[in-house]
Amino acid sequence: MRAIRRFTVRPVLPDALAALGELASNLRWSWHPPTQDLFAAVDPELWRSTGHDPVRLLGEVPGERWRQLAADESFVRRVGEARADLTAYLSEDRWYQRARDERPDLTWPRSVAYFSPEFGITAVLPQYSGGLGILAGDHLKTASDLGVPIVGVGLLYRHGYFKQALSHEGWQLESYPVLDPDGLPLSQLLESDGTRATISIRMPDGPDLLARIWVAAVGRVPLLLLDTDVEGNPDHYIEITDRLYGGNTEHRLRQELLLGVGGVRALRAFSRITGAAAPEVFHTNEGHAGFLGIERIRELTADPSGPQLDVATALEVGRASTVFTTHTPVPAGIDRFPCTLVEQYFGDRGATPGVPVDEVLRLGTEDYAGGDPGVFNMAVMGFRLAQRANGVSQLHGQVSRGMFNGLWPAFDEAEVPITSITNGVHAPTWVAREVIAMASRQGADPEDDDTEAFWAALEKVPAAEVWSTKRLLRERLVEDARRRVRKCWEKRGATAGELGWIDEALDPDVLTIGFARRVPSYKRLTLMLRDPERLKALLLHPERPVQLVIAGKAHPADDGGKRLIQELVRFADAEDVRHRIVFLPNYDIGLALPLYPGCDVWLNNPLRPYEACGTSGMKAALNGGLNLSILDGWWDEWYEPEFGWPIPSADGLEDYSDKRDDLEAAALYDLIEQEVAPRFYDRDADGVPLRWVEMLRHTWSSLGPKVLATRMVRDYVGQLYAPAAHNTRALGADAAGARGLAGWKARVRAGWPSVRVEHVEAEGVGDAAEVGAVMTVRAYVALGELSPGDVAVQLVHGRVDAEDVIVESRLTPLDLAESYDGGRHRFDGQVELGRSGPFGYTVRVVPTHPLLVAPAELGVVASA
Ligand SMILES: *Cc1c(COP(=O)(O)O)cnc(C)c1O
């Protein structure tokens, strides 16, 4: 019988153990093994059966057990110690506070808001689908560890993403269990009088949309999650936060409206109620939250209690304080809406009253060559609303500059103002405690796991110890995989009698290759099946067998992806190979945690360059895994022969062509057969593969420190957050600076048609210059109404190709030498010819202002 209503009864803990409730309600436990051990000690069996979920555990422990524990002095003491440790963690100075004291010359933001449509923090808060969410989770946890004052903003989806199972035929089945927020590690944001805090948004087709705000404590970082499941909302509003990445275009737009506009309002409510500092920097993790910029313009222009700026000035304030991270070079990964839909939601009865809808449309419309002027593009809006933007690896930065060059058509790709910060992973979450323990035995302090010294300590671990640890981790994975395969087959309709083989599935001594990720086509789940006979031969090799552990979810609407999964599952079902290749359903954090440490090799074969970064290979590397991967994303940047193997990619060939897949698959088989397996099975007298272990140790010591999320978050603080806060403050609390900047931009744009390089003279070099010669350049420039201080005049020089295009160009500033009547000026400078070969130069003029980040920002240039 179905219940008409449901709610969760919160447990009452004995007073002596009340601190367990506090420990369960801060997610720091999810990356703190001592706290996990404490929960396990409450009831080991329940800890396991609840899937390591402290809130459920505390709710299910029987009263008798509580009485027993409350009387156990040593347990009560342990609880007290754990709570003291958490209190210290939450209050003491950490990296950010120390760095701020050391560098008072930098602008350290008082608070940063981090918006993301998904957050992958722990398996018990399933609000993520894949890499984007895991990255957001790692970002918040790391910010907490470093003491960076961040507030996360997202949505609470009643069904999260989906749970994946398989049909008898190997077809992906999705289910959407209801998550009861009362049973999750969340608290509701309440007003000081105890009533529920809500935000509201005006909607075009009905009453105002209401949302309540849940707060997850991610260590020191509050994460605000908006939820439309509140009384007063009609059903079609309640559905807005039903599931992650579900529904049609309009559903997506409503979710993003809630995330962006509602998210800013939730932050304001949070600050008002708790006294938390107002964010000085707004970081949007991918374009989905971009409407936050529109809401901030509304606050600054139309809100009666705001400063009532004009739109141009408000835009400068918004841009200076916004950081946009783009995450994908795959066009389908970018949200695009019909302009008419955006018009509806931001029009007369729209979400941000007072902001003219034309201004909104102008920000996101694809009104450039190659774009579709009827389409509103969230990435485009992201770039226009953020003064600082980045990709997530060097290669992805470069690809993004090419992809979005159309927004800055007057500039070469290299000058498109998109930088990069390569992703990283949160070691305390992802590194097996056995690996940490090995480093500790060499004298490294686990508290310092973000230092080079910590990872260098693993260089000294004896080979036999490394090897026995890896054996243990592999064995744990094998056991976990068998449990999962058995459950999966039971659901697929097999009887117990048919499943005896599972006890022998996988082998803790066989070379284990892992492959797990979402299943969009560019990730090529089934590349390994290109030549099934060759794969079989590798799996069943008499001396050097290989085993494969595979996982991944296809988006529910992606039948192509589901067909790939089915193809793989069918291959893995065959009796002759099923002990060497398994597909584990429902890839999530719970599955990932034992998977990475248990693998010897992490396989990644995306279609280059569509993998913006990838992080799973980093997690494998930190756990003593070697990467076998196409040179894409982070691997392109940091690959070294000691870290694994690059799979050659046939870049010149067309994407998704048979030829390309054939070539790359053949290269993959060759590598496994001729390099990977021989090295893994090359053993000394004690059965240890010395050369292999040497590679693991190098990976830890040299690659380890680079792939850490602490490196990533420090980079964000130093390269993006602090400079953004600096510019924001420079615009002035009263926006005087912003008015100045907006006025300056308007003046420069208006005057630009008169800017010309009229004439260039060069001296010191003839047609046959020698290396070391110095060239003196004089450029005569007309600036019209603009003054020399408004512009930078630059000599652009470098090697030229056969078409006289300057490649690898360099810039040398020319200085004002003389001014003449009629707005004409001479700029001089010198350059030394540093290398032989064809050389070319030109002169250009670009706008310059102390508060610009890049010369391309206004999009205008004048060249000789
Ligand atoms: C790390 C991780 C991902 C992302 O991996 P990629 O290499 O970026 O594809 C996705 N899902 C889970 C559960 C993860 O742990």
Side-chain angles (χ1 to χ4, degrees):
M1 205 184 288
R2 275 184 89 85
I4 56 161
R5 242 194 103 207
R6 60 177 290 160
F7 54 90
T8 302
V9 184
R10 298 255 182 188
V12 180
L13 302 174
D15 286 347
L17 301 177
L20 282 172
E22 278 172 50
L23 289 162
S25 61
N26 191 307
L27 293 169
R28 193 230 186 182
W29 67 261
S30 68
W31 69 95
H32 194 244
T35 312
Q36 292 163 16
D37 292 346
L38 184 68
F39 287 124
V42 170
D43 189 326
E45 183 46 38
L46 266 181
W47 179 241
R48 209 191 51 73
S49 68
T50 58
H52 302 177
D53 183 339
V55 173
R56 278 185 59 201
L57 170 90
L58 298 187
E60 291 180 24
V61 172
E64 177 49 35
R65 178 67 183 151
W66 282 136
R67 279 187 288 281
Q68 210 179 352
L69 287 171
D72 177 343
E73 269 177 41
S74 81
F75 186 80
V76 172
R77 194 170 341 106
R78 249 178 100 184
V79 171
E81 284 162 8
R83 179 221 222 144
D85 175 80
L86 177 63
T87 307
Y89 173 85
L90 296 178
S91 54
E92 71 199 4
D93 279 0
R94 303 189 73 86
W95 167 79
Y96 192 84
Q97 289 69 33
R98 291 192 293 271
R100 193 176 52 191
D101 291 346
E102 280 164 26
R103 293 291 308 273
D105 54 315
L106 295 183
T107 307
W108 300 82
R110 285 182 284 273
S111 173
V112 175
Y114 181 93
F115 284 66
S116 176
E118 47 172 313
F119 286 92
I121 293 159
T122 134
V124 306
L125 192 58
Q127 299 289 322
Y128 59 94
S129 78
L132 186 73
I134 301 285
L135 181 79
D138 280 9
H139 197 97
L140 295 194
K141 293 175 195 173
T142 307
S144 170
D145 290 347
L146 294 176
V148 180
I150 280 190
V151 185
V153 181
L155 303 183
L156 183 76
Y157 305 94
R158 199 160 329 112
H159 302 277
Y161 195 42
F162 69 91
K163 278 198 146 164
Q164 180 195 50
L166 294 176
S167 76
H168 187 72
E169 286 71 38
W171 189 252
Q172 170 176 298
L173 303 175
E174 298 104 29
S175 62
Y176 295 89
V178 179
L179 300 167
D180 179 357
D182 288 320
L184 297 174
L186 301 172
S187 58
Q188 213 169 161
L189 184 66
L190 302 177
E191 297 288 348
S192 46
D193 64 1
T195 58
R196 173 155 85 199
T198 54
I199 59 102
S200 65
I201 300 177
R202 214 164 70 168
M203 297 292 265
D205 59 345
D208 288 359
L209 168 68
L210 303 174
R212 56 179 163 175
I213 302 154
W214 296 96
V215 185
V218 186
R220 302 161 70 112
V221 172
L223 167 59
L224 313 182
L225 298 169
L226 289 144
D227 174 8
T228 57
D229 187 3
V230 284
E231 297 114 59
N233 271 342
D235 286 350
H236 66 292
Y237 287 2
I238 290 179
E239 280 165 20
I240 290 175
T241 50
D242 58 351
R243 56 183 70 160
L244 179 55
Y245 303 144
N248 62 14
T249 305
E250 184 160 4
H251 187 70
R252 282 292 281 272
L253 181 82
R254 286 167 176 250
Q255 288 189 332
E256 297 185 10
L257 186 72
L258 178 66
L259 177 60
V261 176
V264 173
R265 294 181 188 170
L267 279 168
R268 303 306 182 208
F270 183 71
S271 290
R272 177 171 52 73
I273 294 167
T274 66
E280 291 186 280
V281 176
F282 292 75
H283 182 182
T284 91
N285 189 39
E286 195 45 281
H288 310 71
F291 291 128
L292 80 88
I294 310 290
E295 167 62 2
R296 295 195 56 226
I297 291 175
R298 187 200 65 79
E299 289 183 329
L300 293 165
T301 59
D303 195 324
S305 61
Q308 314 223 357
L309 307 177
D310 60 281
V311 172
T313 304
L315 191 57
E316 294 308 332
V317 176
R319 278 172 52 79
S321 52
T322 303
V323 173
F324 170 50
T325 301
T326 175
H327 279 272
T328 180
V330 182
I334 292 172
D335 276 317
R336 298 165 81 235
F337 299 112
C339 284
T340 48
L341 196 62
V342 175
E343 238 175 297
Q344 200 182 326
Y345 279 86
F346 288 90
D348 287 343
R349 267 207 56 80
T352 50
V355 181
V357 67
D358 292 348
E359 295 286 348
V360 178
L361 290 172
R362 205 172 52 76
L363 288 163
T365 304
E366 295 185 352
D367 52 5
Y368 44 84
D372 177 343
V375 163
F376 190 92
N377 181 314
M378 295 300 279
V380 168
M381 179 168 67
F383 289 115
R384 289 178 178 160
L385 278 174
Q387 196 179 22
R388 288 158 220 275
N390 69 297
V392 290
S393 67
Q394 284 179 9
L395 178 62
H396 177 234
Q398 187 190 324
V399 169
S400 301
R401 289 190 285 277
M403 195 170 160
F404 295 106
N405 205 163
L407 292 174
W408 296 271
F411 288 81
D412 287 350
E413 198 175 300
E415 283 197 276
V416 169
I418 304 175
T419 60
S420 66
I421 289 181
T422 306
N423 288 341
V425 297
H426 184 243
T429 296
W430 297 108
V431 180
R433 49 170 93 183
E434 288 78 2
V435 172
I436 304 289
M438 279 197 293
S440 304
R441 287 195 290 273
Q442 297 301 322
D445 180 353
E447 293 286 308
D448 286 339
D449 65 5
D450 71 326
T451 61
E452 301 214 344
F454 180 87
W455 297 96
L458 286 158
E459 189 79 67
K460 294 178 285 181
V461 181
E465 186 181 336
V466 171
W467 200 236
S468 61
T469 302
K470 270 314 273 190
R471 169 76 169 60
L472 183 80
L473 298 170
R474 208 183 296 114
E475 186 171 28
R476 191 176 301 153
L477 168 62
V478 167
E479 281 163 10
D480 186 64
R482 284 179 188 157
R483 219 173 11 248
R484 288 172 189 271
V485 170
R486 179 176 303 279
K487 250 172 86 183
C488 174
W489 269 110
E490 284 165 359
K491 282 200 190 143
R492 290 177 72 187
T495 59
E498 292 170 278
L499 299 181
W501 64 273
I502 293 176
D503 296 332
E504 308 284 312
L506 304 182
D507 180 333
D509 289 305
V510 163
L511 167 57
T512 304
I513 302 183
F515 183 101
R517 45 189 48 85
R518 291 179 304 113
V519 189
S521 46
Y522 76 89
K523 298 217 187 213
R524 294 192 300 190
L525 172 72
T526 54
L527 188 73
M528 62 180 90
L529 298 184
R530 200 79 199 155
D531 182 345
E533 290 311 312
R534 270 203 86 178
L535 177 60
K536 237 182 230 186
L538 292 171
L539 297 173
L540 303 176
H541 193 284
E543 290 95 42
R544 297 191 296 272
V546 167
Q547 62 192 5
L548 272 159
V549 182
I550 301 158
K553 290 177 174 179
H555 186 277
D558 176 16
D559 279 351
K562 293 185 208 178
R563 269 193 292 278
L564 298 182
I565 290 177
Q566 184 173 43
E567 203 184 320
L568 198 110
V569 169
R570 290 216 163 131
F571 179 89
D573 280 351
E575 257 176 64
D576 54 343
V577 294
R578 65 187 182 188
H579 62 302
R580 290 264 189 269
I581 176 168
V582 294
F583 179 87
L584 306 179
N586 204 39
Y587 182 40
D588 68 356
I589 294 175
L591 194 163
L593 283 171
L595 177 60
Y596 301 121
C599 288
D600 300 292
V601 170
W602 194 253
L603 173 63
N604 193 18
N605 49 34
L607 199 59
R608 190 177 191 270
Y610 293 120
E611 181 87 303
C613 180
T615 53
S616 52
M618 300 177 176
K619 300 177 221 168
L622 290 179
N623 281 291
L626 300 176
N627 277 272
L628 171 59
S629 171
I630 297 274
L631 286 172
D632 202 2
W634 73 275
W635 186 236
D636 179 69
E637 196 168 320
W638 287 328
Y639 157 74
E640 280 179 29
E642 289 297 307
F643 306 158
W645 298 267
I647 304 170
S649 61
D651 271 9
L653 294 177
E654 208 179 311
D655 296 351
Y656 304 105
S657 64
D658 281 345
K659 183 89 194 292
R660 182 159 172 180
D661 284 358
D662 282 342
L663 285 171
E664 297 183 11
L668 168 63
Y669 299 132
D670 288 347
L671 274 169
I672 295 176
E673 182 185 270
Q674 291 153 29
E675 312 263 346
V676 183
R679 188 160 298 172
F680 181 87
Y681 288 105
D682 177 16
R683 306 298 168 90
D684 72 357
D686 301 320
V688 178
L690 289 177
R691 184 70 189 92
W692 187 277
V693 171
E694 215 173 286
M695 287 175 77
L696 301 191
R697 290 193 291 216
H698 265 96
T699 301
W700 272 314
S701 65
S702 306
L703 180 59
K706 294 186 179 136
V707 301
L708 300 177
T710 45
R711 188 270 312 146
M712 169 182 77
V713 171
R714 285 196 187 101
D715 284 353
Y716 272 101
V717 171
Q719 295 169 32
L720 298 173
Y721 297 165
H726 172 86
N727 275 25
T728 305
R729 288 189 199 171
L731 295 181
D734 57 355
R739 261 188 217 100
L741 179 60
W744 176 82
K745 279 191 181 177
R747 189 166 61 77
V748 168
R749 285 208 177 94
W752 203 259
S754 316
V755 175
R756 264 188 313 279
V757 179
E758 298 196 316
H759 176 60
V760 178
E761 291 169 358
E763 255 175 31
V765 290
D767 282 344
E770 286 180 352
V771 171
V774 173
M775 180 172 80
T776 301
V777 175
R778 273 188 292 277
Y780 295 86
V781 174
L783 296 179
E785 298 291 306
L786 302 184
S787 72
D790 293 328
V791 299
V793 180
Q794 299 164 329
L795 182 70
V796 185
H797 56 95
R799 198 162 59 75
V800 286
D801 66 12
E803 268 84 51
D804 279 353
V805 173
I806 303 173
V807 285
E808 299 161 28
S809 63
R810 289 171 176 238
L811 297 175
T812 300
L814 303 183
D815 300 321
L816 179 67
E818 211 177 338
S819 292
Y820 314 102
D821 287 347
R824 293 192 156 71
H825 310 269
R826 198 185 89 221
F827 289 79
D828 294 354
Q830 289 189 329
V831 63
E832 185 182 322
L833 306 182
R835 51 185 277 181
S836 58
F839 175 86
Y841 67 88
T842 184
V843 169
R844 73 171 190 183
V845 186
V846 289
T848 186
H849 188 283
L851 293 173
L852 291 192
V853 169
E857 216 173 301
L858 272 73
V860 294
V861 64
S863 304

